[in-house]
Amino acid sequence: SQQGEEDPQALSIQEGENATMNCSYKTSINNLQWYRQNSGRGLVHLILIRSNEREKHSGRLRVTLDTSKKSSSLLITASRAADTASYFCATDQAGTALIFGKGTTLSVSS
Amino acid sequence: DVKVTQSSRYLVKRTGEKVFLECVQDMDHENMFWYRQDPGLGLRLIYFSYDVKMKEKGDIPEGYSVSREKKERFSLILESASTNQTSMYLCASSYGLALNQPQHFGDGTRLSIL
């Protein structure tokens, strides 16, 4: 399968802590995207990082990309209960369409 | 803001029925996609379209067809519904060259085939 893989599958933390989730993929890419999905809803785009970028920030989100290791990480700082959701990475490694990973389920308790 | 609207949030149909799932986007996006989402399997692409009357097979097109007669509307058709097509179906759209643009998703249709 060409699917990316998120790690861990599930993560439980307390409010105020940082959450880190990782994504690995198999072949070369031009860009990688992260999405969030709240329970029972559609996916929402968070951030896109291109293959020539190493790090990108958006508010409390920090994304890194290591093309030599074929991996990316999403860091959410100072987590809130509202960050409880599933997080997916998506890559263009197929060349014709995005490939989504299976997701990391984040639970933030107050 | 981009709005992608799926016609039903929940749908229950019977085995053998022909099922239509409708999706409409309001941002004049060229590209539209249909995915299904199952626990442990993530999102899998069924079909996508880069233009009106144009369609491309995704990873799991068997048992499905699509129609795109107008730019804003992309329909997924289950020709003869089966129980293994019980799933969450997600529609998405994007602008321009699909792979370097974010996809905008509808809230999904949870389809049960009895």
Side-chain angles (χ1 to χ4, degrees), chain A residues 3 31 33 35 37 40-45 48 50 88 91-92 94-103, chain B residues 9 33 35 37 40-45 48 50 88 90 98-108 110:
Chain A
Q3 263 186 321
N31 64 77
Q33 303 182 35
Y35 289 79
Q37 183 180 34
R41 306 298 295 272
L43 280 71
V44 174
H45 181 261
L48 181 151
R50 303 185 195 284
F88 296 85
T91 63
D92 62 352
T96 55
L98 291 181
I99 296 179
F100 287 82
K102 296 179 182 179
Chain B
R9 289 296 305 275
F33 308 85
Y35 297 90
Q37 184 176 26
L41 296 178
L43 272 75
R44 293 180 292 167
L45 181 63
F48 59 102
Y50 286 135
M88 169 73 109
L90 292 165
L99 302 186
N100 66 1
Q101 295 293 325
Q103 293 190 6
H104 301 267
F105 284 80
D107 276 338
R110 191 166 292 281

Side-chain angles (χ1 to χ4, degrees), chain B residues 32-65:
Chain B
M32 297 189 75
F33 308 85
W34 275 107
Y35 297 90
R36 64 176 282 177
Q37 184 176 26
D38 301 286
L41 296 178
L43 272 75
R44 293 180 292 167
L45 181 63
I46 306 171
Y47 268 97
F48 59 102
S49 169
Y50 286 135
D51 202 352
V52 175
K53 296 191 186 295
M54 179 271 179
K55 60 186 178 184
E56 293 284 344
K57 292 180 180 178
D59 297 322
I60 51 164
E62 296 78 20
Y64 303 94
S65 63

